[in-house]
Short mmCIF file of all heavy atoms in Angstrom, two decimals:
data_model
loop_
_atom_site.label_atom_id
_atom_site.label_comp_id
_atom_site.label_asym_id
_atom_site.label_seq_id
_atom_site.Cartn_x
_atom_site.Cartn_y
_atom_site.Cartn_z
N LEU A 1 -3.42 0.20 -12.43
CA LEU A 1 -3.25 1.31 -11.50
C LEU A 1 -2.24 0.97 -10.42
O LEU A 1 -1.29 1.73 -10.17
CB LEU A 1 -4.59 1.69 -10.86
CG LEU A 1 -4.51 2.71 -9.72
CD1 LEU A 1 -4.01 4.06 -10.23
CD2 LEU A 1 -5.86 2.86 -9.02
N HIS A 2 -2.42 -0.18 -9.79
CA HIS A 2 -1.54 -0.53 -8.68
C HIS A 2 -0.11 -0.85 -9.13
O HIS A 2 0.86 -0.55 -8.43
CB HIS A 2 -2.13 -1.71 -7.89
CG HIS A 2 -3.31 -1.32 -7.05
ND1 HIS A 2 -4.57 -1.16 -7.57
CD2 HIS A 2 -3.40 -1.05 -5.72
CE1 HIS A 2 -5.40 -0.81 -6.61
NE2 HIS A 2 -4.72 -0.72 -5.48
N LYS A 3 0.02 -1.42 -10.32
CA LYS A 3 1.37 -1.65 -10.85
C LYS A 3 2.08 -0.32 -11.11
O LYS A 3 3.27 -0.16 -10.80
CB LYS A 3 1.29 -2.46 -12.15
CG LYS A 3 0.86 -3.91 -11.96
CD LYS A 3 0.76 -4.63 -13.30
CE LYS A 3 0.30 -6.06 -13.12
NZ LYS A 3 0.17 -6.77 -14.42
N ALA A 4 1.34 0.64 -11.67
CA ALA A 4 1.93 1.95 -11.95
C ALA A 4 2.26 2.69 -10.66
O ALA A 4 3.33 3.32 -10.55
CB ALA A 4 0.97 2.78 -12.80
N VAL A 5 1.37 2.61 -9.67
CA VAL A 5 1.63 3.28 -8.40
C VAL A 5 2.84 2.66 -7.71
O VAL A 5 3.67 3.37 -7.12
CB VAL A 5 0.39 3.20 -7.49
CG1 VAL A 5 0.72 3.70 -6.08
CG2 VAL A 5 -0.75 4.03 -8.07
N HIS A 6 2.95 1.35 -7.78
CA HIS A 6 4.12 0.67 -7.18
C HIS A 6 5.41 1.23 -7.76
O HIS A 6 6.37 1.54 -7.02
CB HIS A 6 4.03 -0.83 -7.45
CG HIS A 6 5.09 -1.64 -6.76
ND1 HIS A 6 6.40 -1.68 -7.19
CD2 HIS A 6 5.04 -2.42 -5.64
CE1 HIS A 6 7.11 -2.45 -6.40
NE2 HIS A 6 6.30 -2.92 -5.45
N GLN A 7 5.45 1.41 -9.08
CA GLN A 7 6.65 1.96 -9.72
C GLN A 7 6.88 3.41 -9.31
O GLN A 7 8.02 3.82 -9.04
CB GLN A 7 6.50 1.86 -11.24
CG GLN A 7 7.76 2.28 -12.01
CD GLN A 7 8.95 1.40 -11.70
OE1 GLN A 7 8.84 0.17 -11.69
NE2 GLN A 7 10.09 2.02 -11.42
N ASP A 8 5.80 4.19 -9.25
CA ASP A 8 5.92 5.59 -8.84
C ASP A 8 6.48 5.71 -7.43
O ASP A 8 7.37 6.53 -7.16
CB ASP A 8 4.56 6.28 -8.90
CG ASP A 8 4.07 6.49 -10.33
OD1 ASP A 8 4.91 6.44 -11.25
OD2 ASP A 8 2.86 6.69 -10.51
N LEU A 9 5.96 4.90 -6.51
CA LEU A 9 6.41 4.97 -5.12
C LEU A 9 7.86 4.50 -4.99
O LEU A 9 8.63 5.06 -4.20
CB LEU A 9 5.51 4.11 -4.23
CG LEU A 9 4.06 4.60 -4.09
CD1 LEU A 9 3.24 3.61 -3.26
CD2 LEU A 9 4.01 5.98 -3.46
N ALA A 10 8.24 3.52 -5.78
CA ALA A 10 9.62 3.04 -5.75
C ALA A 10 10.59 4.11 -6.23
O ALA A 10 11.77 4.12 -5.82
CB ALA A 10 9.75 1.78 -6.61
N ASN A 11 10.11 5.05 -7.05
CA ASN A 11 10.97 6.12 -7.57
C ASN A 11 11.04 7.34 -6.66
O ASN A 11 11.79 8.27 -6.94
CB ASN A 11 10.47 6.57 -8.95
CG ASN A 11 10.69 5.51 -10.02
OD1 ASN A 11 11.60 4.68 -9.90
ND2 ASN A 11 9.86 5.52 -11.04
N GLN A 12 10.25 7.35 -5.59
CA GLN A 12 10.22 8.48 -4.68
C GLN A 12 11.38 8.39 -3.68
O GLN A 12 11.37 7.58 -2.76
CB GLN A 12 8.89 8.53 -3.93
CG GLN A 12 7.69 8.80 -4.80
CD GLN A 12 7.70 10.22 -5.35
OE1 GLN A 12 7.87 11.18 -4.62
NE2 GLN A 12 7.53 10.34 -6.65
N LYS A 13 12.39 9.22 -3.89
CA LYS A 13 13.59 9.16 -3.05
C LYS A 13 13.32 9.56 -1.61
O LYS A 13 14.05 9.16 -0.70
CB LYS A 13 14.68 10.06 -3.64
CG LYS A 13 15.14 9.64 -5.03
CD LYS A 13 16.18 10.59 -5.59
CE LYS A 13 16.58 10.19 -7.00
NZ LYS A 13 17.58 11.14 -7.58
N ALA A 14 12.27 10.34 -1.39
CA ALA A 14 11.97 10.78 -0.02
C ALA A 14 11.22 9.72 0.77
O ALA A 14 11.02 9.88 1.97
CB ALA A 14 11.14 12.07 -0.06
N LEU A 15 10.79 8.63 0.10
CA LEU A 15 10.00 7.60 0.77
C LEU A 15 10.82 6.36 1.04
O LEU A 15 11.63 5.93 0.21
CB LEU A 15 8.79 7.21 -0.10
CG LEU A 15 7.72 8.26 -0.36
CD1 LEU A 15 6.66 7.69 -1.29
CD2 LEU A 15 7.09 8.74 0.94
N ASN A 16 10.58 5.76 2.18
CA ASN A 16 11.14 4.45 2.50
C ASN A 16 10.10 3.41 2.08
O ASN A 16 9.41 2.82 2.91
CB ASN A 16 11.44 4.37 4.00
CG ASN A 16 12.00 3.01 4.40
OD1 ASN A 16 12.41 2.21 3.57
ND2 ASN A 16 12.02 2.75 5.71
N PHE A 17 10.01 3.21 0.75
CA PHE A 17 8.98 2.33 0.20
C PHE A 17 9.44 0.89 0.26
O PHE A 17 10.50 0.54 -0.25
CB PHE A 17 8.66 2.73 -1.24
CG PHE A 17 7.60 1.88 -1.89
CD1 PHE A 17 6.33 1.80 -1.35
CD2 PHE A 17 7.89 1.16 -3.04
CE1 PHE A 17 5.35 1.01 -1.95
CE2 PHE A 17 6.91 0.38 -3.65
CZ PHE A 17 5.64 0.30 -3.10
N ILE A 18 8.62 0.01 0.89
CA ILE A 18 9.01 -1.38 1.08
C ILE A 18 8.21 -2.34 0.20
O ILE A 18 8.39 -3.56 0.31
CB ILE A 18 8.87 -1.79 2.56
CG1 ILE A 18 7.42 -1.67 3.02
CG2 ILE A 18 9.81 -0.96 3.43
CD1 ILE A 18 7.17 -2.24 4.41
N GLY A 19 7.32 -1.81 -0.67
CA GLY A 19 6.60 -2.66 -1.59
C GLY A 19 5.14 -2.86 -1.21
O GLY A 19 4.56 -2.07 -0.48
N ASN A 20 4.56 -3.94 -1.73
CA ASN A 20 3.15 -4.23 -1.51
C ASN A 20 2.92 -4.90 -0.17
O ASN A 20 3.81 -5.57 0.38
CB ASN A 20 2.62 -5.16 -2.61
CG ASN A 20 2.55 -4.47 -3.96
OD1 ASN A 20 2.30 -3.28 -4.05
ND2 ASN A 20 2.75 -5.24 -5.03
N ILE A 21 1.69 -4.76 0.33
CA ILE A 21 1.26 -5.46 1.53
C ILE A 21 -0.15 -5.99 1.28
O ILE A 21 -0.97 -5.32 0.65
CB ILE A 21 1.28 -4.53 2.78
CG1 ILE A 21 0.98 -5.32 4.05
CG2 ILE A 21 0.32 -3.36 2.62
CD1 ILE A 21 1.17 -4.50 5.32
N GLU A 22 -0.42 -7.20 1.74
CA GLU A 22 -1.75 -7.78 1.60
C GLU A 22 -2.61 -7.42 2.80
O GLU A 22 -2.10 -7.15 3.90
CB GLU A 22 -1.65 -9.30 1.46
CG GLU A 22 -0.88 -9.75 0.23
CD GLU A 22 -0.82 -11.27 0.12
OE1 GLU A 22 -1.74 -11.94 0.64
OE2 GLU A 22 0.14 -11.77 -0.49
N SER A 23 -3.93 -7.44 2.61
CA SER A 23 -4.84 -7.04 3.68
C SER A 23 -4.72 -7.93 4.91
O SER A 23 -4.92 -7.47 6.04
CB SER A 23 -6.28 -7.04 3.17
OG SER A 23 -6.64 -8.32 2.69
N GLY A 24 -4.36 -9.20 4.72
CA GLY A 24 -4.21 -10.10 5.86
C GLY A 24 -3.04 -9.76 6.75
O GLY A 24 -2.96 -10.25 7.89
N ASP A 25 -2.12 -8.92 6.27
CA ASP A 25 -0.93 -8.55 7.05
C ASP A 25 -1.00 -7.15 7.63
O ASP A 25 -0.04 -6.66 8.21
CB ASP A 25 0.32 -8.66 6.17
CG ASP A 25 0.60 -10.09 5.73
OD1 ASP A 25 0.36 -11.00 6.54
OD2 ASP A 25 1.05 -10.28 4.58
N LEU A 26 -2.16 -6.49 7.49
CA LEU A 26 -2.27 -5.10 7.90
C LEU A 26 -1.91 -4.89 9.37
O LEU A 26 -1.19 -3.94 9.72
CB LEU A 26 -3.69 -4.58 7.65
CG LEU A 26 -4.03 -4.22 6.21
CD1 LEU A 26 -5.50 -3.84 6.09
CD2 LEU A 26 -3.15 -3.07 5.72
N LEU A 27 -2.39 -5.75 10.24
CA LEU A 27 -2.22 -5.55 11.68
C LEU A 27 -0.96 -6.21 12.23
O LEU A 27 -0.76 -6.24 13.44
CB LEU A 27 -3.45 -6.07 12.44
CG LEU A 27 -4.81 -5.51 12.02
CD1 LEU A 27 -5.90 -6.02 12.96
CD2 LEU A 27 -4.81 -3.98 12.00
N HIS A 28 -0.11 -6.70 11.35
CA HIS A 28 1.08 -7.43 11.79
C HIS A 28 2.33 -6.56 11.93
O HIS A 28 3.41 -7.07 12.18
CB HIS A 28 1.36 -8.60 10.85
CG HIS A 28 0.36 -9.71 10.96
ND1 HIS A 28 0.58 -10.98 10.48
CD2 HIS A 28 -0.88 -9.74 11.51
CE1 HIS A 28 -0.47 -11.75 10.72
NE2 HIS A 28 -1.38 -11.00 11.34
N GLY A 29 2.18 -5.26 11.73
CA GLY A 29 3.32 -4.36 11.93
C GLY A 29 4.34 -4.36 10.82
O GLY A 29 5.48 -3.94 11.03
N ALA A 30 3.95 -4.79 9.62
CA ALA A 30 4.91 -4.86 8.51
C ALA A 30 5.24 -3.49 7.94
O ALA A 30 6.28 -3.32 7.30
CB ALA A 30 4.36 -5.75 7.40
N ALA A 31 4.37 -2.50 8.14
CA ALA A 31 4.59 -1.16 7.60
C ALA A 31 4.09 -0.12 8.59
O ALA A 31 3.25 -0.39 9.44
CB ALA A 31 3.89 -1.00 6.26
N ASP A 32 4.65 1.10 8.47
CA ASP A 32 4.23 2.22 9.32
C ASP A 32 3.21 3.10 8.63
O ASP A 32 2.46 3.82 9.29
CB ASP A 32 5.45 3.07 9.70
CG ASP A 32 6.53 2.25 10.38
OD1 ASP A 32 6.22 1.61 11.39
OD2 ASP A 32 7.68 2.24 9.87
N VAL A 33 3.18 3.06 7.29
CA VAL A 33 2.21 3.79 6.49
C VAL A 33 1.71 2.86 5.40
O VAL A 33 2.52 2.29 4.65
CB VAL A 33 2.82 5.06 5.84
CG1 VAL A 33 1.78 5.77 4.97
CG2 VAL A 33 3.38 5.99 6.89
N VAL A 34 0.40 2.67 5.30
CA VAL A 34 -0.19 1.84 4.26
C VAL A 34 -1.08 2.72 3.40
O VAL A 34 -1.98 3.40 3.90
CB VAL A 34 -1.00 0.67 4.85
CG1 VAL A 34 -1.68 -0.11 3.73
CG2 VAL A 34 -0.09 -0.25 5.66
N VAL A 35 -0.82 2.70 2.09
CA VAL A 35 -1.49 3.58 1.15
C VAL A 35 -2.42 2.76 0.26
O VAL A 35 -2.08 1.65 -0.16
CB VAL A 35 -0.45 4.31 0.27
CG1 VAL A 35 -1.13 5.15 -0.80
CG2 VAL A 35 0.46 5.17 1.13
N SER A 36 -3.59 3.34 -0.04
CA SER A 36 -4.53 2.68 -0.94
C SER A 36 -5.53 3.70 -1.46
O SER A 36 -5.65 4.81 -0.92
CB SER A 36 -5.27 1.56 -0.20
OG SER A 36 -6.26 0.96 -1.03
N ASP A 37 -6.28 3.30 -2.49
CA ASP A 37 -7.43 4.10 -2.88
C ASP A 37 -8.51 3.90 -1.82
O ASP A 37 -8.53 2.90 -1.10
CB ASP A 37 -7.94 3.67 -4.26
CG ASP A 37 -8.41 2.23 -4.28
OD1 ASP A 37 -7.55 1.33 -4.42
OD2 ASP A 37 -9.62 2.00 -4.12
N GLY A 38 -9.44 4.86 -1.72
CA GLY A 38 -10.42 4.84 -0.65
C GLY A 38 -11.36 3.64 -0.68
O GLY A 38 -11.73 3.12 0.37
N TRP A 39 -11.76 3.20 -1.88
CA TRP A 39 -12.69 2.08 -1.97
C TRP A 39 -12.05 0.81 -1.41
O TRP A 39 -12.63 0.11 -0.57
CB TRP A 39 -13.10 1.86 -3.42
CG TRP A 39 -14.25 0.90 -3.57
CD1 TRP A 39 -15.57 1.20 -3.69
CD2 TRP A 39 -14.16 -0.54 -3.63
NE1 TRP A 39 -16.32 0.06 -3.81
CE2 TRP A 39 -15.49 -1.03 -3.76
CE3 TRP A 39 -13.12 -1.45 -3.55
CZ2 TRP A 39 -15.78 -2.39 -3.84
CZ3 TRP A 39 -13.40 -2.81 -3.62
CH2 TRP A 39 -14.72 -3.27 -3.77
N THR A 40 -10.83 0.51 -1.88
CA THR A 40 -10.15 -0.71 -1.45
C THR A 40 -9.82 -0.66 0.04
O THR A 40 -10.05 -1.63 0.77
CB THR A 40 -8.86 -0.90 -2.25
OG1 THR A 40 -9.17 -0.93 -3.64
CG2 THR A 40 -8.16 -2.20 -1.87
N ALA A 41 -9.29 0.46 0.49
CA ALA A 41 -8.89 0.58 1.89
C ALA A 41 -10.09 0.48 2.83
O ALA A 41 -10.02 -0.17 3.88
CB ALA A 41 -8.17 1.91 2.11
N ASN A 42 -11.20 1.10 2.44
CA ASN A 42 -12.39 1.04 3.29
C ASN A 42 -12.95 -0.37 3.35
O ASN A 42 -13.36 -0.84 4.42
CB ASN A 42 -13.44 2.03 2.77
CG ASN A 42 -14.57 2.22 3.75
OD1 ASN A 42 -15.60 1.56 3.66
ND2 ASN A 42 -14.39 3.12 4.69
N ALA A 43 -12.98 -1.05 2.21
CA ALA A 43 -13.47 -2.43 2.19
C ALA A 43 -12.60 -3.34 3.04
O ALA A 43 -13.10 -4.18 3.81
CB ALA A 43 -13.54 -2.94 0.75
N ALA A 44 -11.28 -3.20 2.92
CA ALA A 44 -10.36 -4.02 3.70
C ALA A 44 -10.50 -3.72 5.19
O ALA A 44 -10.46 -4.63 6.04
CB ALA A 44 -8.92 -3.78 3.25
N LEU A 45 -10.68 -2.43 5.52
CA LEU A 45 -10.82 -2.04 6.92
C LEU A 45 -12.08 -2.64 7.54
O LEU A 45 -12.04 -3.19 8.66
CB LEU A 45 -10.86 -0.51 7.03
CG LEU A 45 -11.07 0.07 8.43
CD1 LEU A 45 -9.96 -0.36 9.37
CD2 LEU A 45 -11.14 1.59 8.35
N LYS A 46 -13.20 -2.56 6.80
CA LYS A 46 -14.44 -3.11 7.34
C LYS A 46 -14.39 -4.63 7.45
O LYS A 46 -14.94 -5.21 8.39
CB LYS A 46 -15.61 -2.67 6.46
CG LYS A 46 -15.93 -1.19 6.60
CD LYS A 46 -17.06 -0.74 5.71
CE LYS A 46 -17.37 0.74 5.93
NZ LYS A 46 -18.43 1.24 5.02
N ALA A 47 -13.71 -5.29 6.52
CA ALA A 47 -13.55 -6.74 6.61
C ALA A 47 -12.71 -7.12 7.83
O ALA A 47 -13.02 -8.08 8.54
CB ALA A 47 -12.90 -7.28 5.33
#
């Protein structure tokens, strides 16, 4: 799923897609928008 989404986002001309981000880097200002499925994002947020 994530490999396919990465390719889809890279093909979106309207997006400034910069690639993957790890949960340990969320608060470091590496991205302005972070996308995920709800289960993963919620788990990372609570951690």
Side-chain angles (χ1 to χ4, degrees):
L1 171 65
H2 287 79
K3 290 178 181 179
V5 171
H6 186 285
Q7 186 62 47
D8 290 341
L9 294 176
N11 291 334
Q12 294 292 309
K13 298 178 182 178
L15 295 177
N16 179 14
F17 180 60
I18 61 172
N20 291 327
I21 186 172
E22 298 181 27
S23 58
D25 295 324
L26 282 175
L27 305 186
H28 289 197
D32 304 304
V33 178
V34 176
V35 175
S36 176
D37 62 277
W39 191 96
T40 304
N42 191 266
L45 177 59
K46 289 178 178 177

